[in-house]
Amino acid sequence: MVRATLTRGSTWLRAGFGLGVLLLAAQVVMSFAVTQAWADRHPILDGGLQDGVYLLAAALVAARAALIREDRGAWLLMSTGLFAYAAGTVYWVALFSRMDHPPFPSPADALWLAYYPFALAAVLRLLWVRQRRLSAAAWLDGLIAAACAAAFASVIFLTGFAGSTGSRWSAVISVAFPVADIVLAGLLLGAWALSGWRTERVWMLLLTGMGINSAANGIHAFQTAVGMSLPGGWADLLWSVALAVIVVAAWQRPQPATERRPASAVVGAVLPAVLACASLLLLLGDWRSVGALPQVSGLLAALAIAGAIVRMLLTVRVVEALADARHQARTDDLTELPNRRSFLEAVDHSLDPGPVAPALAVAIIDLDRFKDINDSFGHRVGDRLLQLVAERLAEAVGSVGTLARLGGDEFGVLLPGVDAEQAQQITTGFLTVLRRPFHLGQIGLHVDASIGVAACPAHGVDSSTLMRHADSAMYQAKDHQSGVALATGGPDDDSGRQRLTTLEELRAGLDRGELTLHYQPQMLIAEGVVAGVEALVRWNHPSRGLVYPDGFLPLAEHAGLMGRLTTQVLEMALAQCRAWNDDGLALTVAVNLSASNLQDCDLPGYVADALLRHGVPAHSLHLEVTEEILIRDAARTTEILAELRRMGIRLAVDDYGTGYSSLAYLQALPVDDLKLDRAFVTHCDTDPRSAAIVKSTVELAHNLGMRMIAEGVESEAGLDRLRQWDCDLAQGYHVSRPQAPQQLTTWLRQQASDVAHTDDHTTVATS
């Protein structure tokens, strides 16, 4: 912005700025020459040149404030202070420069003093813009720097100061000048500390220029006190240099906020210590040659030292906090084991590049069915189990390797100096250790695990490759229930990546509404009419097409997505049920629930709200659960199912006969229907064993006051056998395949028409 402003500015402005800098430089050179050889120069020439330099400096700073928006307020304040100082100088030169005993105080003194509040305000304005949030350490640094600078300044300005023997106002003015310089000196160094010891050019030049000005004032005060003050001396030279530096600071290109960086941590720690040491030397110095150390100087030095002590204590606490944070960032809170970050760092460290790849193995341990434990017994029990598993694994690993908790129920083991076969033997021992029962109060649990092993260099030479192959091997062990699986390094090891990819695509698919439902009719066998449908979810994948439940439901259950998925299925099923009812097709709709759904105490309330929103009566919704789910946590499941049933919703046990069937559970659970698995129904017309199971299950259901639904009906012969055994409902390809809503609506209308035609024909034949 500044460069653009200067480029667009007129030629006279650039020439004027250049001329002003040259004049300031000329004044510096002239002052130096006078200091060396021209002490008796003409006072009018000396005063006129001095007036011109002061006015020019103020005008150049004011021009910068007028032409450039950034930091405008600070430079307006600075230019105002410089104009006040220049006005005081002009007044003094015009009226008092030729007097042997000029009056004191005078209006010139008031104008000179007016410079200080404006200069202080300019510094504070720049500091506020650049550093609005200050830490405790920054405040302490500012206190140390300000107190130290003020202490040394007070020595310069107050040593030998005897005050004024004149009027009260002369005494006030005599004190005001050294006090103002002491405050300014303290503020300058304190502001630099508060800015984070930043080395921004604008900031450094301004502080340098104002610091030189204060130093010149100190020299002038000292010379005046000892009777050595002469026109054109070193004080005049330093005043001119200070003005030149302030003007150059004003016209620097402002540094963007993104480029403003505090000094390094080393500098930030060293400078306060140096200032504290300087303050200590000031207190311990021998002042007998110049008189006693001013009391104010001693107090300021002591304040700087006290601030440094507090700063040191704060630094120690910060260092401890950083160390603790570093430890926490690499430690798992629950088990106190190293976490994933620490584990990966350990693997990377063990794989440091060298002429030969090191021998080591990485194992990933995943607990089987841990989510079921969490769902059944609560997270408190699950967390305690993880702690016990961690303790047992740590004992088993010992000094052989490094154990870490990677997240959830997943642990990692780094085994240096072993090959793949040795790693497989070691990790098999981990399984033996884990299979001993864990006792958690009144609960005894057995834990199984799946372990994947990858070795360097056989399966990779970097941490990401080894972890990916170990993760894939772990999934292979889980799929094949083999306990331990060794990575192959081939295409099969991409299965883990494919799972993760599918899972992320499923998350996105749920957000985009990619789920769709197909419906399979359920026929009342005795009447031969369709009474309801079962909603079967499909995933309309953008590139893979229609994906069936086996391709994504296990992943969704494992990743905790079944709540969202079931919600979407319920919404779609109830909306379709409402549409069919409005269209004259009175149908019930059955929706499957998962294990995680039955652990959600909010499920009944959500279902009630959904029924109300869609205007579907409760008896039109059937909910199906597997018997395996019921057995995992029967108490909680029974409570939720009972609440759903009290609402008027019909409940069914799905896939009956494939799990751990128990008559005791059937007697206690609030269910209305049994749905016999297709494995028994499909061959009931040809296989005597299947026929016996189906027939006895129908009788069992009826004796328990339940309806029997047979799925997997594939033939008319099978349907006839079910009719003979008084089975209630049939579902299968012989009745109808699952269909999309539009196609099924057409099919349902055709079925209703056929039934009506058959009824009419029967009535005519009878009459």
Side-chain angles (χ1 to χ4, degrees):
M1 179 188 297
V2 178
R3 285 182 176 175
T5 303
L6 291 176
T7 301
R8 293 192 299 267
S10 61
T11 303
W12 67 263
L13 176 61
R14 293 194 296 270
F17 172 69
L19 178 61
V21 175
L22 288 175
L23 286 176
L24 289 174
Q27 167 65 4
V28 172
V29 174
M30 185 175 293
S31 297
F32 179 76
V34 170
T35 301
Q36 299 298 319
W38 196 22
D40 296 328
R41 62 182 171 168
H42 196 282
I44 295 179
L45 177 63
D46 174 42
L49 183 59
Q50 190 177 28
D51 291 345
V53 169
Y54 277 48
L55 290 170
L56 179 60
L60 288 173
V61 175
R64 188 268 183 227
L67 293 170
I68 301 171
R69 176 179 299 177
E70 190 165 356
D71 295 335
R72 175 175 291 166
W75 295 116
L76 279 174
L77 290 168
M78 180 60 68
S79 65
T80 303
L82 291 176
F83 272 121
Y85 204 95
T89 304
V90 171
Y91 185 89
W92 191 89
V93 169
L95 298 180
F96 308 131
S97 60
R98 296 186 182 185
M99 294 182 180
D100 292 333
H101 300 287
F104 181 80
S106 70
D109 295 299
L111 290 170
W112 285 330
L113 282 173
Y115 159 76
Y116 290 98
F118 286 106
L120 292 172
V123 172
L124 292 175
R125 175 74 179 179
L126 285 175
L127 180 64
W128 171 254
V129 170
R130 285 158 170 74
Q131 197 79 15
R132 297 197 177 188
R133 293 183 179 180
L134 296 173
S135 63
W139 282 112
L140 285 170
D141 287 347
L143 172 65
I144 296 166
C148 179
F152 278 90
S154 65
V155 171
I156 297 173
F157 291 108
L158 298 180
T159 299
F161 176 75
S164 173
T165 58
S167 66
R168 182 178 61 181
W169 282 111
S170 63
V172 170
I173 297 299
S174 297
V175 173
F177 275 106
V179 169
D181 279 303
I182 291 170
V183 172
L184 182 60
L187 177 67
L188 291 177
L189 198 58
W192 186 28
L194 288 174
S195 70
W197 309 103
R198 186 180 288 112
T199 56
E200 183 184 354
R201 287 191 302 274
V202 175
W203 193 246
M204 296 304 298
L205 286 169
L206 177 63
L207 297 183
T208 301
M210 296 179 67
I212 294 173
N213 186 70
S214 294
N217 292 339
I219 293 174
H220 178 71
F222 178 77
Q223 290 176 341
T224 301
V226 298
M228 296 174 55
S229 177
L230 295 173
W234 283 102
D236 287 347
L237 172 62
L238 291 177
W239 280 326
S240 300
V241 171
L243 288 173
V245 174
I246 290 174
V247 170
V248 172
W251 284 90
Q252 287 294 312
R253 180 179 69 87
Q255 195 169 356
T258 54
E259 298 178 8
R260 296 172 185 165
R261 294 288 185 269
S264 65
V266 175
V267 174
V270 169
L271 285 179
V274 171
L275 295 173
C277 291
S279 300
L280 183 61
L281 291 175
L282 185 67
L283 282 177
L284 300 178
D286 186 1
W287 295 95
R288 287 175 295 181
S289 59
V290 295
L293 177 69
Q295 187 176 7
V296 172
S297 304
L299 291 175
L300 289 170
L303 180 61
I305 295 170
I309 294 173
V310 177
R311 177 71 165 88
M312 181 182 65
L313 295 175
L314 180 63
T315 302
V316 171
R317 291 188 61 182
V318 169
V319 170
E320 291 176 348
L322 288 174
D324 185 57
R326 180 179 175 84
H327 174 73
Q328 291 182 2
R330 288 163 174 77
T331 305
D332 176 60
D333 292 336
L334 181 65
T335 62
E336 293 297 322
L337 292 174
N339 61 10
R340 176 179 287 272
R341 175 188 293 180
S342 180
F343 184 75
L344 293 177
E345 288 177 354
V347 176
D348 286 332
H349 180 73
S350 300
L351 292 170
D352 281 342
V356 179
L360 62 86
V362 172
I364 294 180
I365 305 171
D366 187 84
L367 304 184
D368 294 340
R369 304 170 72 92
F370 179 75
K371 189 175 184 302
D372 295 342
I373 295 174
N374 261 342
D375 293 340
S376 300
F377 300 103
H379 289 280
R380 186 180 62 83
V381 172
D383 289 346
R384 180 56 185 153
L385 177 61
L386 287 174
Q387 292 173 336
L388 295 177
V389 168
E391 293 173 5
R392 195 172 290 184
L393 283 176
E395 183 179 351
V397 173
S399 60
V400 176
T402 300
L403 173 68
R405 184 188 178 203
L406 304 182
D409 60 337
E410 196 171 79
F411 295 83
V413 181
L414 172 63
L415 299 169
V418 301
D419 57 24
E421 293 184 1
Q422 292 171 326
Q424 192 171 14
Q425 293 175 358
I426 293 172
T427 52
T428 301
F430 297 162
L431 288 179
T432 303
V433 168
L434 289 176
R435 283 168 180 164
R436 298 200 308 267
F438 291 89
H439 299 286
L440 296 92
Q442 302 298 320
I443 304 171
L445 294 174
H446 290 77
V447 173
D448 278 323
S450 299
I451 305 177
V453 178
C456 175
H459 306 124
V461 293
D462 61 87
S463 59
S464 61
T465 303
L466 286 173
M467 292 293 289
R468 178 166 56 86
H469 286 315
D471 192 62
S472 297
M474 181 270 291
Y475 276 109
Q476 292 176 26
K478 193 175 289 290
D479 290 341
H480 299 130
Q481 299 182 356
S482 59
V484 178
L486 187 63
T488 63
D492 289 344
D493 279 356
D494 289 334
S495 59
R497 178 181 295 180
Q498 292 173 1
R499 291 172 187 267
L500 292 176
T501 300
T502 301
L503 184 57
E504 292 306 313
E505 290 174 346
L506 179 58
R507 293 182 193 275
L510 289 173
D511 293 335
R512 292 193 294 259
E514 292 175 359
L515 295 185
T516 186
L517 295 183
H518 285 190
Y519 298 88
Q520 188 170 31
Q522 295 177 337
M523 185 182 71
L524 288 170
I525 297 177
E527 291 85 356
V529 298
V530 174
V533 295
E534 180 184 4
L536 302 173
V537 66
R538 308 285 188 260
W539 177 15
N540 193 9
H541 193 281
S543 60
R544 293 161 55 188
L546 210 60
V547 181
Y548 286 82
D550 291 346
F552 63 92
L553 285 186
L555 281 176
E557 181 73 17
H558 184 74
L561 295 178
M562 282 303 296
R564 290 181 58 194
L565 192 149
T566 303
T567 297
Q568 292 192 20
V569 170
L570 269 171
E571 294 290 340
M572 289 188 290
L574 291 175
Q576 184 60 53
C577 183
R578 177 72 267 167
W580 276 327
N581 287 341
D582 292 342
D583 205 22
L585 296 173
L587 296 171
T588 63
V589 61
V591 175
N592 290 278
L593 297 181
S594 71
S596 56
N597 297 141
L598 291 176
Q599 306 305 316
D600 183 4
C601 296
D602 295 330
L603 177 66
Y606 169 76
V607 172
D609 180 66
L611 289 169
L612 184 62
R613 280 188 287 105
H614 290 282
V616 174
H619 63 78
S620 294
L621 176 63
H622 295 183
L623 296 177
E624 299 182 358
V625 295
T626 62
E627 58 181 312
E628 184 179 0
I629 293 173
L630 303 177
I631 293 172
R632 292 181 189 177
D633 189 0
R636 182 181 300 183
T637 300
T638 300
E639 182 180 347
I640 292 176
L641 290 178
E643 189 171 352
L644 290 169
R645 196 184 191 202
R646 283 194 295 269
M647 293 164 50
I649 297 170
R650 198 171 185 92
L651 305 175
V653 177
D654 194 15
D655 298 331
Y656 181 76
T658 59
Y660 306 97
S661 302
S662 169
L663 296 180
Y665 281 107
L666 287 180
Q667 185 180 16
L669 287 173
V671 292
D672 304 286
D673 301 327
L674 285 185
K675 194 171 185 181
L676 191 61
D677 188 74
R678 67 180 62 250
F680 307 105
V681 176
T682 302
H683 304 292
C684 68
D685 58 326
T686 57
D687 179 30
R689 289 179 177 269
S690 296
I693 291 174
V694 172
K695 183 179 180 181
S696 60
T697 305
V698 171
E699 293 175 354
L700 172 65
H702 290 167
N703 290 334
L704 292 174
M706 303 177 186
R707 293 191 310 175
M708 178 69 184
I709 305 173
E711 61 177 342
V713 179
E714 308 293 344
S715 64
E716 183 65 29
L719 184 60
D720 288 340
R721 299 296 296 272
L722 292 171
R723 187 178 292 111
Q724 293 173 12
W725 298 326
D726 293 330
C727 183
D728 301 285
L729 291 101
Q731 177 180 341
Y733 283 5
H734 180 68
V735 178
S736 172
R737 291 176 176 271
Q739 301 181 56
Q742 297 81 0
Q743 289 79 13
L744 185 61
T745 300
T746 303
W747 184 89
L748 289 170
R749 290 192 177 284
Q750 182 62 46
Q751 289 296 113
S753 176
D754 291 345
V755 170
H757 179 72
T758 301
D759 290 343
D760 291 342
H761 180 73
T762 303
T763 301
V764 170
T766 304
S767 61

